[in-house]
Amino acid sequence: MKTFRTALATMALLSSMGIHAQGQVTLRLDEAKTSVSPLLYGMMTEEINFAYEGGLYAQLLRNVSFRDAQNGKRPNPWTPWKPEGAKFWSLTDSTTSKVRIEEKGGYNRANPVAFVWTAQKGDGLLNDGYWGIPVRAGEQYQGAVIVKSNIAGGSEFEVALVSNDGKTVYASTVVKNINDNWQRLDFSFNAPKNLEKATKDVKFRITALKSGEYQLSKVVLFPETFKGRKNGLRKDLMQMMCDMNPKFLRFPGGNYLEGNDFQNRFDWKRTVGNPDERPGHMSPWGYRSTDGLGLLEFLQWAEDCGAEPILGVFAGYVLSTDYLSADFCDNFVQDALDEIEYVIGGADTKWGAQRIKDGHPEPFPLHYVEIGNEDFFDLSGSYPGRYKKFYEAIKAKYPHLQIISTQEAKMIKEQAEETGVDNIKLDVIDEHYYRSTEDMYRAFNQYDSYDRKGPKIFCGEWASREGTPTTNMNAALGDAAWMSAMERNSDIVIAHCYAPLFVNVNKGGMQWESDLIGVDALNAYGSPSYYAQCMYANHVGNKIVPIEVANMPKMAVKDGELSQIYYSATTDTKTGKTYLKLVNGGSTKQNVTIYIKGGKVQKNGKQIILTSANPEDTNSIDNPRNIVPVAKKIKAGKNFKVHLPAYSVNVLTF
Ligand code: AHR
């Protein structure tokens, strides 16, 4: 009723100004008053879909510590079990070479396995990488082996990048001075400058230069990394994320924070310091993480993208639904306090000093800490007690931090009442929405009615789940409508981030369908959803512009009809620029009249359009730029017309 009356009032106003609004879609942009949250657009990440191992973490070899045996996992400590070889490692000649795994014969506790290779001179040992290894013209590679050998007089082997058939050697060098003590021996080599075409049909090969026994406990290989960081991240993916202009990075999960069991939670203290001393753990998504990308690397990743961390701390609940109740959580609370100290502590604190020792003198900016992940799945009633314990301990030491609850207000209050936990304080609630595009449209007004006096909202995971492995144009439409819904309400929605961020597109790489960025060993591409993110996050002001709409066109959907156009606008009070976002979710083009109240309007405007003829159209690793944004000039003014193609996301600047 209210909308109808508003529409009528708007149309009356427009016609009184000589604008013929009858039957035309009209948007009236009012004066901006409410502030846009400065952290509104960000990123969320976890180890899923080989996002780090075989993705962002630049290390190229698979099963670096030989801990994944050919014949699976030890069933339990009492069942006799003999590991057979190591997955992703193979021999060039199994008639002359032999391998044996000694589970407790390795370099240290983090690399406990000795991979014992008895070779004839000239034999080779191959690693497949993560569905190949990238070789690009002139690229420099840095590697290391932790190795020993009892061959009399010492030994040496060649390390190389070779074509799958072994005939082409792209880069090679000799690792010398191998003796009968464990040693870490570094090496480097370059791909030829005149390589015609980059390729990933490549294996890493170690070739014995003497006959005898070699023992390996770890082998790593890095290409050039973003900003040249040691133990760093992949250049192309980092650039793609920087292009998203994120203001925060939520990490380390997701389910990856919780782990399937206590042993495999994200135990941050085991992820810092020398990577050779990080034992790694199983990700809940079915594969081992080396934790080479650990807490400091997460923090530097955020920093390198111009973002601040939103830190998720383990809160005593794991995915098997096991938990430690508040009374038994003290160690985890202390771990969280230590973790925060690692992030923001000074040189005079134990963990701040550790961060400095690890190579980052300055504290990182930190304003938000999240207690657990998706504790709305915890129906035991343990969350209010756990949450309160973390909340009070963190606030006592760091009163400036805002705390994020992963149960919504009603649930945590009900559970608190049932379990006798009093005085729960809520700063921010993390909500997660995985929906169809139509459901995103339906949720366009969801936040309009949220209590402005209640806790703030962090939409810490969301996606329109249309298309696989990465999402399609239809998903981008739903995503854009949802981002507009949040942007219009960014007085209460302080931050939001899409999930999941990455998927390795190779067979076996995906655990979660519908992801933002597709990756293989050599290339990466953005889904239409990725481009919608970039368009939105790069065009946002500091004040929300209220919009009134008249004559909203409708589009038919399975069970009725929905509005066809979704919208939001912000203005930058410093530059005077206004950013208007318009989503046309329908199969018909639309001409929209824009009327702007108050202020000056820059006449020369721009319209960036993301569109495709068919909503199922998409991008892929072989066709990465099928759907990309296109910009054109427009004439703006106090009132002007905008053309919205069918199935389009549009960002106007004027
Ligand atoms: O984003 C994929 C998963 O969805 C996350 O790990 C989890 O938090 C959610 O259920």
Side-chain angles (χ1 to χ4, degrees), residues 84-242:
E84 286 165 18
K87 269 186 166 174
F88 313 110
W89 291 92
S90 58
L91 298 169
T92 55
D93 188 343
S94 55
T95 59
T96 51
S97 273
K98 291 282 167 281
V99 294
R100 184 176 92 240
I101 298 277
E102 287 188 10
E103 280 187 285
K104 291 192 179 134
Y107 172 63
N108 60 8
R109 282 181 64 195
N111 299 280
V113 172
F115 179 85
V116 186
W117 175 37
T118 312
Q120 297 298 314
K121 185 177 172 186
D123 283 352
L125 176 65
L126 299 164
N127 186 278
D128 302 336
Y130 288 91
W131 297 278
I133 296 175
V135 172
R136 296 184 184 87
E139 178 111 14
Q140 187 180 52
Y141 297 82
Q142 309 276 353
V145 285
I146 295 179
V147 62
K148 66 179 181 176
S149 168
N150 58 9
I151 296 172
S155 192
E156 53 192 37
F157 52 48
E158 184 205 57
V159 286
L161 289 174
V162 300
S163 56
N164 282 344
D165 62 8
K167 289 185 182 153
T168 309
V169 176
Y170 296 107
S172 71
T173 188
V174 174
V175 176
K176 296 183 178 149
N177 303 322
I178 303 172
N179 61 35
D180 56 1
N181 291 316
W182 283 120
Q183 294 180 86
R184 181 181 217 269
L185 297 174
D186 294 333
F187 64 85
S188 68
F189 47 49
N190 282 62
K193 285 202 174 111
N194 60 355
L195 184 76
E196 262 176 32
K197 199 169 172 250
T199 174
K200 63 181 170 59
D201 297 331
V202 172
K203 290 184 194 288
F204 174 75
R205 187 176 72 193
I206 301 178
T207 305
L209 297 181
K210 287 190 181 178
S211 300
E213 187 182 282
Y214 297 85
Q215 296 199 22
L216 296 156
S217 200
K218 187 174 184 185
V219 190
V220 291
L221 182 69
F222 284 85
E224 291 159 19
T225 60
F226 192 71
K227 294 202 168 175
R229 284 198 190 277
K230 214 162 178 260
N231 192 44
L233 307 180
R234 216 170 113 161
K235 286 201 275 187
D236 56 346
L237 298 179
M238 283 299 288
Q239 191 52 57
M240 284 183 79
M241 288 189 283
C242 291

Side-chain angles (χ1 to χ4, degrees), residues 584-652:
N584 179 4
S587 58
T588 52
K589 62 186 179 192
Q590 291 292 334
N591 288 318
V592 176
T593 304
I594 313 292
Y595 168 69
I596 295 161
K597 188 176 168 218
K600 279 194 202 137
V601 181
Q602 295 180 8
K603 285 245 155 58
N604 295 324
K606 185 172 76 173
Q607 181 177 5
I608 306 176
I609 309 165
L610 184 74
T611 185
S612 196
N614 186 330
E616 272 81 49
D617 289 346
T618 198
N619 295 338
S620 67
I621 203 89
D622 299 320
N623 194 1
R625 297 188 60 79
N626 186 34
I627 304 172
V628 291
V630 174
K632 69 172 191 187
K633 288 182 182 160
I634 55 165
K635 281 277 166 245
K638 279 283 183 194
N639 63 75
F640 62 99
K641 270 210 164 60
V642 178
H643 171 70
L644 307 181
Y647 306 125
S648 65
V649 177
N650 304 266
V651 174
L652 278 62

Side-chain angles (χ1 to χ4, degrees), residues 307-322:
E308 70 174 60
I310 290 189
L311 180 69
V313 295
F314 179 75
Y317 176 80
V318 294
L319 290 165
S320 63
T321 72
D322 202 1

Side-chain angles (χ1 to χ4, degrees), residues 285-300:
W285 301 99
Y287 56 94
R288 184 179 298 281
S289 169
T290 60
D291 287 328
L293 199 166
L295 179 60
L296 183 64
E297 288 76 18
F298 277 115
L299 292 164
Q300 285 175 332

Side-chain angles (χ1 to χ4, degrees), residues 44 46 48 250 253-256 258 285 373-374 377 432 434 461 499-500 512:
M44 181 271 168
E46 66 169 315
I48 183 173
R250 173 184 179 234
N255 291 163
Y256 189 57
E258 304 161 274
W285 301 99
N373 175 60
E374 293 195 338
F377 282 120
H432 293 179
Y434 293 103
E461 291 181 31
W512 183 277

Side-chain angles (χ1 to χ4, degrees), residues 47-48 50-54 57 59 61-69 72-74 81 87-88 103 109-113 130 256 263-264 270 278-293 511:
E47 180 58 287
I48 183 173
F50 291 85
Y52 310 155
E53 309 284 339
Y57 181 46
Q59 199 289 122
L61 305 182
R62 193 154 177 193
N63 196 11
V64 289
S65 296
F66 306 95
R67 295 182 72 178
D68 296 323
K73 282 188 255 171
R74 173 181 282 284
W81 182 71
K87 269 186 166 174
F88 313 110
E103 280 187 285
R109 282 181 64 195
N111 299 280
V113 172
Y130 288 91
Y256 189 57
Q263 195 190 341
N264 289 301
R270 290 157 69 96
R278 303 181 194 175
H281 71 287
M282 287 301 288
S283 111
W285 301 99
Y287 56 94
R288 184 179 298 281
S289 169
T290 60
D291 287 328
L293 199 166
Q511 292 89 49

